[in-house]
Amino acid sequence: MAAAIDPNAGVECEEQEQDILQGTEPGAGSVGYEPLFCVQPDEELDVSVDEICTDPESRTSAHSDTSLTSGHISSLSSHGSPEAANSSSPKIDVIDEDENFNETFLPAQADMPSEAASPIDEKIALLSVQDEQEEARKTRAASVQEIGREASVEDVNNPQWTLHKKHVFAFSEAGKPIYSRYGNEDKLATLMGVMQALVSFVQDGKNTIRCIMAGNHKFVFLVRGHVILVAVAYTPESVTQLVLQLSYVYNQILSVLTYTQLARIMEQRRNYDLRRLLAGTEKFIDNLLNLMDHEPSFLLGSVRCLPLSSSVRETIGQSMLQARVKDLVFAILVAKNQLITLIRPKRYSLHPSDLHLIFNLVSASTSFQTAESWTPICLPRFDNSGYLYAHISYLDDNCPACLLLLSTDRDAFFELAETRLKTVERLKRYRCLEAINEAVAKKSYSTDQVGIPELYHFIYKSKSTAQYTSPELEAPYVEPEEQERLFGLYLYLHHRIHSPARPLKILCHVGIREMLLGWVTSGFELYAAFSPLVTKPDAIVAINKLLRWIKREEDRLFILSSQVF
């Protein structure tokens, strides 16, 4: 049973349900602080980054503006300039007509030869950039060489293969297989060809296929620059939520190839097998899909921070700032998919969806735990046309915190390695490693600390900071099946509240095992599970008490001010 409050209708309990404006909600911090992320209102659900908008509705969206996704790297690079970022990319002729695209990558705009350069200079410059792109591919392959995929050996002819709750497929516009969550792509080429034919048939009618409903199954389609993605699921996710997950899969592919390189390859060789360039990185997509099955951060478009004393967090940030070198663009410290701190240039910031890809990169690979690694990564919302180069290492053998130092210079490994040494030295001097270990060992916090006995669990997101917090899953959500069921209920609340046809402000759902309340204001988004005997007025009183507790603890639960330089 569910009861909803339409924002356009009369609102019950008016005194207790006043809207809380963005910037004044718990977790927003004080006026004048540097925000951790620069996210526009209601932007968090759109993570698409390609320049080719196949959805007619997205053509008018602010998110299709290419200025959001290209040119940043060239303007930051010591080899480029802001003017180079604003110039249009000239057509590049392919030097080698062989099928091997490992030798024919598109150069970054900042490295493009000028119009006045001679043909010989142009070829030399082009070959130099091709070498750089090839080196990036080899470096990435070396950093993930330990990865294997168990799902790829699954027999697609076995009836058990069809019983998976969610299949995800990716293939090119020509129907060439790119990725399958379960089973070998070669064995699924015919199936993907049928899916591609469906997309083409609808496109011939000047339309775009979105989904097919077949019983309890949803067939959800997403067409993004030269790549078609399909989810086949009988899960609690709505069509919109599945589209969001497919967008993340597409961004994960771009993080390896860049949109510029993907577009150039597909325009010149429609039948090219992209798996040759993605070899060894499929496990990252696997891990990303597994995370999205239980992590609220993707659904909310936000990041979870490690609960930590604000003084300790400030010391960590200052240590990273003092150790930085000229070519450093971003320094990110994470632990167990939680953000500890981030330092950035004053003019630039990362989008939460890009940080999700960074979290996924760290959690999907164990090689970073054994040695310092150097790998290229494209962050599509920051700049989908080029790579940042990441120095990745753990602070200590006994510390779960991973430090990522990102630069535009592919030759900055040793400079960033020196930055790491200086950072670790300062963190040990001020005993920050012990504080991080203690915070990770505590995991998160308990609902008992809130002082609301009837509260089982909650997820709170501050819209101003694009960060969220939630306690540990405790009774009655100890078993994995119960945790999956609770997340499914959160998905239901989120879908109903954000329904395009009838958006809601408050939604109450009363079930046999719990009473759930979803509440969205201009400033925050909150989903909570209570004892099934709790009434709606009592739940709202409890929520107000919860908001006051979050406000008292905001310095520990959120990063209220970003370290900038």
Side-chain angles (χ1 to χ4, degrees):
M1 180 175 66
I5 296 180
D6 192 326
N8 299 319
V11 179
E12 301 175 11
C13 304
E14 186 174 340
E15 293 182 356
Q16 294 172 311
E17 298 171 5
Q18 295 293 329
D19 190 24
I20 297 180
L21 299 179
Q22 187 166 340
T24 63
E25 79 277 10
S30 303
V31 178
Y33 283 179
E34 286 288 345
L36 186 63
F37 305 109
C38 294
V39 180
Q40 299 300 319
D42 300 324
E43 179 188 333
E44 58 270 16
L45 293 182
D46 189 347
V47 297
S48 58
V49 297
D50 57 300
E51 298 177 0
I52 300 176
C53 297
T54 54
D55 185 354
E57 296 179 357
S58 66
R59 287 191 174 95
T60 58
S61 171
H63 315 311
S64 62
D65 185 356
T66 58
S67 64
L68 290 175
T69 59
S70 63
H72 287 167
I73 290 178
S74 59
S75 63
L76 280 167
S77 174
S78 59
H79 304 291
S81 64
E83 292 76 10
N86 295 327
S87 63
S88 59
S89 177
K91 188 180 188 308
I92 302 298
D93 293 327
V94 180
I95 295 178
D96 186 359
E97 291 295 333
D98 184 75
E99 281 287 335
N100 185 7
F101 270 92
N102 294 339
E103 305 295 336
T104 55
F105 291 126
L106 180 71
Q109 292 178 359
D111 295 323
M112 291 293 300
S114 64
E115 294 181 0
S118 66
I120 294 179
D121 292 337
E122 290 182 4
K123 290 184 178 181
I124 292 175
L126 183 59
L127 287 171
S128 176
V129 175
Q130 291 166 1
D131 291 341
E132 178 179 341
Q133 296 279 11
E134 173 65 6
E135 181 180 341
R137 186 190 68 81
K138 290 179 178 178
T139 303
R140 184 189 310 108
S143 67
V144 298
Q145 60 185 356
E146 87 289 352
I147 291 178
R149 294 188 69 209
E150 295 180 1
S152 64
V153 299
E154 192 170 343
D155 185 6
V156 299
N157 296 315
N158 191 319
Q160 294 295 320
W161 179 80
T162 63
L163 298 181
H164 290 294
K165 290 185 177 181
K166 187 192 302 177
H167 287 269
V168 174
F169 307 98
F171 46 92
S172 69
E173 290 177 328
K176 282 280 188 178
I178 297 176
Y179 169 82
S180 173
R181 187 179 189 183
Y182 303 108
N184 186 286
E185 293 85 3
D186 290 328
K187 301 291 181 63
L188 296 167
T190 302
L191 176 62
M192 295 186 190
V194 173
M195 294 177 180
Q196 189 274 336
L198 287 172
V199 172
S200 297
F201 178 79
V202 176
Q203 284 179 339
D204 288 342
K206 307 297 181 183
N207 213 328
T208 301
I209 188 170
R210 293 183 59 84
C211 68
I212 299 173
M213 308 299 290
N216 294 327
H217 284 76
K218 307 179 192 75
F219 293 74
V220 180
F221 294 78
L222 178 67
V223 182
R224 284 286 181 263
H226 307 286
V227 176
I228 300 171
L229 303 105
V230 180
V232 182
Y234 62 99
T235 56
E237 289 105 334
S238 66
V239 171
T240 302
Q241 291 163 353
L242 289 171
V243 168
L244 177 69
Q245 294 183 14
L246 293 178
S247 295
Y248 268 104
V249 172
Y250 177 67
N251 284 1
Q252 181 62 51
I253 293 173
L254 291 190
S255 73
V256 177
L257 296 179
T258 76
Y259 175 75
T260 305
Q261 180 180 321
L262 172 64
R264 179 62 59 185
I265 292 173
M266 291 292 98
E267 287 169 4
Q268 296 177 348
R269 298 284 194 281
R270 290 189 73 251
N271 290 321
Y272 184 74
D273 189 351
L274 284 176
R275 289 177 297 172
R276 296 170 62 181
L277 299 179
L278 294 171
T281 64
E282 299 90 349
K283 186 62 177 291
F284 291 110
I285 304 179
D286 293 341
N287 190 72
L288 182 67
L289 289 169
N290 292 337
L291 287 176
M292 287 190 287
D293 283 341
H294 62 84
E295 276 285 342
S297 57
F298 301 92
L299 182 69
L300 299 175
S302 58
V303 172
R304 184 176 182 177
C305 298
L306 179 71
L308 201 62
S309 164
S310 59
S311 60
V312 174
R313 205 186 303 272
E314 177 74 16
T315 301
I316 294 173
Q318 287 296 326
S319 299
M320 294 165 61
L321 270 178
Q322 294 171 12
R324 74 178 184 89
V325 292
K326 173 186 173 184
D327 292 320
L328 180 68
V329 179
F330 297 105
I332 307 165
L333 190 61
V334 302
K336 303 295 183 182
N337 284 333
Q338 299 175 92
L339 181 65
I340 298 176
T341 192
L342 179 153
I343 68 171
R344 62 176 179 84
K346 190 176 182 64
R347 293 176 53 199
Y348 300 96
S349 64
L350 290 177
H351 192 275
S353 63
D354 283 340
L355 207 53
H356 293 157
L357 296 182
I358 291 175
F359 284 2
N360 183 58
L361 173 68
V362 174
S363 63
S365 178
T366 59
S367 64
F368 302 132
Q369 300 175 6
T370 58
E372 298 178 38
S373 300
W374 184 246
T375 185
I377 181 172
C378 171
L379 301 178
R381 284 306 296 260
F382 178 70
D383 189 338
N384 65 0
S385 65
Y387 292 111
L388 289 174
Y389 293 86
H391 179 283
I392 308 175
S393 63
Y394 280 75
L395 297 181
D396 189 80
D397 292 340
N398 300 317
C399 182
C402 181
L403 178 64
L404 298 98
L405 304 173
L406 276 63
S407 171
T408 57
D409 185 359
R410 63 173 179 145
D411 298 319
F413 175 85
F414 294 106
E415 289 82 354
L416 296 183
E418 185 66 23
T419 296
R420 175 196 175 274
L421 289 176
K422 293 179 180 178
T423 300
V424 172
E425 179 185 350
R426 286 183 169 88
L427 294 180
K428 288 182 177 179
R429 183 190 312 162
Y430 297 112
R431 304 183 65 83
C432 293
L433 296 187
E434 291 86 343
I436 294 173
N437 288 337
E438 183 179 349
V440 172
K442 288 182 179 178
K443 294 185 178 179
S444 185
Y445 53 89
S446 171
T447 53
D448 294 338
Q449 296 176 242
V450 183
I452 305 176
E454 60 270 19
L455 179 64
Y456 286 168
H457 191 262
F458 69 89
I459 300 174
Y460 172 86
K461 173 194 172 182
S462 166
K463 290 188 176 181
S464 297
T465 58
Q467 299 172 46
Y468 86 96
T469 184
S470 65
E472 285 297 307
L473 287 164
E474 300 171 321
Y477 307 114
V478 177
E479 298 298 326
E481 295 80 8
E482 287 299 305
Q483 295 176 5
E484 182 180 352
R485 186 180 64 83
L486 176 63
F487 188 63
L489 291 171
Y490 283 151
L491 289 169
Y492 167 75
L493 288 179
H494 184 275
H495 168 60
R496 286 288 307 277
I497 284 179
H498 292 281
S499 172
R502 186 171 178 246
L504 304 173
K505 179 180 178 181
I506 292 181
L507 177 65
C508 294
H509 175 84
V510 181
I512 298 176
R513 303 182 187 179
E514 60 270 296
M515 178 270 196
L516 291 108
L517 178 70
W519 188 0
V520 175
T521 71
S522 301
F524 69 80
E525 198 166 332
L526 177 65
Y527 304 92
F530 293 92
S531 164
L533 300 179
V534 172
T535 63
K536 179 192 164 188
D538 291 340
I540 292 183
V541 171
I543 288 298
N544 287 326
K545 183 176 180 180
L546 172 62
L547 292 176
R548 290 193 293 271
W549 181 85
I550 295 175
K551 184 65 177 178
R552 290 196 302 269
E553 299 289 330
E554 65 179 3
D555 286 342
R556 183 173 66 93
L557 301 178
F558 301 97
I559 300 177
L560 301 181
S561 179
S562 178
Q563 305 276 2
V564 299
F565 54 89

